[in-house]
Amino acid sequence: MAKDMTLLWGSSSPPCWRIQIMLEEKQLQGYNQKLLSFEKMEHKSQEVLDMNPRGQLPAFKCGNHILNESYAACFFLENQYKSQGTKLIPDSPDAQALMYQRMFEVLTLHQKMVCVIYYNYMVPEGERHDSAIQRNKEALTAELKLWEGYLNKTDCCLAGKEFTLADVLVFPYIAYMFHYGLSSERYPALAKYYNSLKDRPSIKATWPPYWQKFADQDALKTI
Amino acid sequence: MAKDMTLLWGSSSPPCWRIQIMLEEKQLQGYNQKLLSFEKMEHKSQEVLDMNPRGQLPAFKCGNHILNESYAACFFLENQYKSQGTKLIPDSPDAQALMYQRMFEVLTLHQKMVCVIYYNYMVPEGERHDSAIQRNKEALTAELKLWEGYLNKTDCCLAGKEFTLADVLVFPYIAYMFHYGLSSERYPALAKYYNSLKDRPSIKATWPPYWQKFADQDALKTI
């Protein structure tokens, strides 16, 4: 079945990375894949637009099914391959509730992170304001403190001892933030989480070959 | 079990409305609930903060499980009450893939809608730019055209003939946009979708008693 899947992806894009981790966890190696360059605007090519009308990566096809949203792809794959590879939705209601809550809360963290890392990329020069930059940084700091608290209380993974769909969906963002300079000293629980998962086979096998250069590599150093 | 659930909500908030529709669909009426006022800043009260540290609504508790994210609450309830009320995740891979893709794509629509409706609310006076307002409107128009195309091709619901979790999660935003002035003439497929679901019992029973006054009621009239 993996031969019937095609992933067009960009290096260091957390949504792309999620699908790659997911495919490893479900033992679906051997899928068709193509690494495209954001810098060369290959995500706006006809090949991508044919699968993803927004011209974004990932563009993912599973048989005839288009699943460009990384959450959609991960949920679909877990549902279709329940008994293959890692079981990623726990049966226990406690772990399940925590998994769902964390995997969707990360959308808020993502939003706040993007506003800091990509401010200059997203806001044209004449519209930039130091007050907005400052506000965005404060919002991200407050958000990160919440996550630091969550991870202080867990065993190793987001929903307890077991690696779940929440980790597939959240880990790439945590790795992303450390790559862009987040301080391990100020966020030790986040750093512990990052270190405990970075060598997991599915994650190691799909580690981004390079990181996007749109953003300052120290963008999160002062957060 | 519904007696063991508590929902703190705000009127016309799509995330709150989703959980209300979900609870109706799963025949979980009789839960504890409290309508709070955004205008009076009741979402920042201690009662909310005890359940939702971001001070946002919904704040939802199901037994001991905190599920403030509307997606998290809906997925959890569907999983825990699979055979009760409406079955909201279809078995057919075709419908399932489409359902997942649409329910997560709506996050992009939401983001673009918020940037138009709440521009003045989100951006302090000294930081506002006509060029940003124009760009936000164009982005929303392009996004809405995509959805108009999607809905042109479906039977009545987002993933085909059956009402699914995608409709629970997307419908409140579509209703929201028509409330804020979206044109039925320019978006006939969206209007048809809206009209075909607005009298569904779960939706009618939970229709917002009033709409938030933060935004201009005609905010989307020119989109």
Side-chain angles (χ1 to χ4, degrees):
Chain A
M1 180 67 180
K3 285 187 181 158
D4 205 19
M5 298 180 192
T6 300
L7 176 66
L8 308 181
W9 60 289
S11 188
S12 90
S13 146
C16 296
W17 197 3
R18 286 168 172 160
I19 300 181
Q20 293 175 299
I21 295 171
M22 189 69 194
L23 289 163
E24 292 290 321
E25 292 289 343
K26 302 311 282 185
Q27 297 176 353
L28 290 162
Q29 292 93 345
Y31 55 93
N32 306 298
Q33 55 167 308
K34 197 169 179 182
L35 171 58
L36 299 177
S37 159
F38 290 110
E39 283 84 353
K40 293 180 189 159
M41 298 294 283
E42 289 174 349
H43 53 298
K44 298 297 177 191
S45 65
Q46 198 54 48
E47 185 180 14
V48 174
L49 288 167
D50 287 344
M51 278 165 72
N52 189 335
R54 290 186 188 83
Q56 293 173 338
L57 298 176
F60 181 63
K61 213 169 172 178
C62 182
N64 290 323
H65 309 306
I66 298 279
L67 292 149
N68 298 320
E69 296 294 319
S70 56
Y71 278 73
C74 291
F75 268 103
F76 183 77
L77 291 171
E78 178 59 22
N79 239 319
Q80 297 298 311
Y81 298 92
K82 271 198 184 78
S83 54
Q84 187 172 319
T86 317
K87 179 180 154 67
L88 291 163
I89 298 184
D91 289 326
S92 130
D94 283 359
Q96 208 179 90
L98 200 54
M99 175 195 74
Y100 284 128
Q101 175 62 18
R102 293 293 178 261
M103 74 164 71
F104 291 111
E105 267 188 276
V106 87
L107 297 171
T108 300
L109 175 60
H110 165 237
Q111 196 55 40
K112 293 182 175 173
M113 181 193 82
V114 159
C115 288
V116 172
I117 297 187
Y118 290 112
Y119 185 77
N120 284 348
Y121 182 73
M122 291 182 345
V123 182
E125 204 169 347
E127 296 176 16
R128 294 177 199 155
H129 296 274
D130 289 343
S131 47
I133 293 171
Q134 188 55 31
R135 195 171 54 247
N136 292 347
K137 284 189 174 177
E138 285 166 10
L140 179 58
T141 303
E143 181 66 26
L144 280 168
K145 281 186 183 153
L146 267 183
W147 287 86
E148 186 65 16
Y150 295 158
L151 286 162
N152 244 323
K153 283 184 217 143
T154 60
D155 283 319
C156 94
C157 296
L158 277 169
K161 280 182 188 149
E162 303 300 324
F163 183 86
T164 70
L165 207 47
D167 300 294
V168 174
L169 294 164
V170 173
F171 179 83
Y173 277 118
I174 307 299
Y176 202 78
M177 289 193 295
F178 281 111
H179 180 79
Y180 285 109
L182 193 72
S183 160
S184 302
E185 284 80 48
R186 275 199 296 286
Y187 299 100
L190 278 161
K192 193 178 151 224
Y193 174 75
Y194 170 74
N195 286 314
S196 77
L197 288 184
K198 75 179 168 38
D199 293 323
R200 187 177 170 92
S202 65
I203 290 173
K204 220 172 166 177
T206 56
W207 200 266
Y210 59 88
W211 295 78
Q212 287 167 49
K213 299 203 178 63
F214 294 121
D216 171 11
Q217 302 293 302
D218 292 335
L220 301 183
K221 219 163 195 169
T222 60
I223 296 295
Chain B
M1 179 67 179
K3 285 187 180 159
D4 204 18
M5 298 180 191
T6 300
L7 176 66
L8 309 182
W9 60 289
S11 188
S12 90
S13 147
C16 296
W17 197 2
R18 286 167 171 160
I19 300 181
Q20 293 174 299
I21 294 171
M22 189 69 194
L23 290 162
E24 293 290 320
E25 291 289 342
K26 301 311 281 184
Q27 296 176 353
L28 290 162
Q29 293 93 346
Y31 54 92
N32 306 298
Q33 55 167 307
K34 198 169 178 181
L35 171 58
L36 299 178
S37 160
F38 290 110
E39 283 84 353
K40 293 181 188 159
M41 297 294 283
E42 289 173 349
H43 53 297
K44 299 295 177 192
S45 64
Q46 198 53 48
E47 185 180 15
V48 174
L49 288 167
D50 287 344
M51 277 165 71
N52 189 335
R54 291 186 188 83
Q56 293 173 338
L57 299 176
F60 181 62
K61 213 171 171 177
C62 182
N64 290 324
H65 309 307
I66 297 281
L67 293 149
N68 298 320
E69 296 294 319
S70 56
Y71 278 72
C74 291
F75 269 103
F76 183 77
L77 291 171
E78 180 58 22
N79 239 317
Q80 297 298 310
Y81 298 92
K82 271 198 184 79
S83 55
Q84 187 172 318
T86 316
K87 179 179 154 67
L88 291 163
I89 298 185
D91 289 327
S92 131
D94 283 359
Q96 209 179 89
L98 200 54
M99 175 196 75
Y100 284 128
Q101 176 62 17
R102 294 291 178 262
M103 75 163 72
F104 291 112
E105 268 189 276
V106 86
L107 297 171
T108 299
L109 176 60
H110 165 236
Q111 196 55 40
K112 293 182 175 174
M113 181 192 82
V114 159
C115 287
V116 172
I117 297 187
Y118 290 111
Y119 186 78
N120 283 348
Y121 182 73
M122 290 180 349
V123 182
E125 204 170 346
E127 296 176 16
R128 295 177 198 155
H129 296 273
D130 289 343
S131 46
I133 293 172
Q134 189 55 31
R135 195 170 55 247
N136 292 347
K137 283 187 175 178
E138 285 166 10
L140 179 58
T141 302
E143 180 67 24
L144 279 169
K145 281 186 184 154
L146 267 183
W147 286 85
E148 186 65 15
Y150 295 158
L151 286 163
N152 244 324
K153 284 184 217 143
T154 59
D155 283 319
C156 95
C157 296
L158 277 168
K161 280 183 188 151
E162 304 299 324
F163 183 86
T164 70
L165 207 45
D167 300 294
V168 174
L169 293 163
V170 173
F171 179 82
Y173 278 118
I174 308 299
Y176 202 79
M177 289 194 293
F178 281 111
H179 180 79
Y180 284 109
L182 193 71
S183 160
S184 303
E185 284 80 46
R186 276 198 297 285
Y187 299 99
L190 278 162
K192 192 177 151 224
Y193 174 75
Y194 170 74
N195 286 315
S196 77
L197 288 184
K198 74 179 169 41
D199 293 322
R200 188 177 169 92
S202 66
I203 290 172
K204 221 173 165 178
T206 56
W207 201 266
Y210 60 87
W211 295 78
Q212 287 168 46
K213 298 203 180 65
F214 294 120
D216 171 11
Q217 302 292 303
D218 291 334
L220 301 182
K221 219 164 195 167
T222 60
I223 295 296

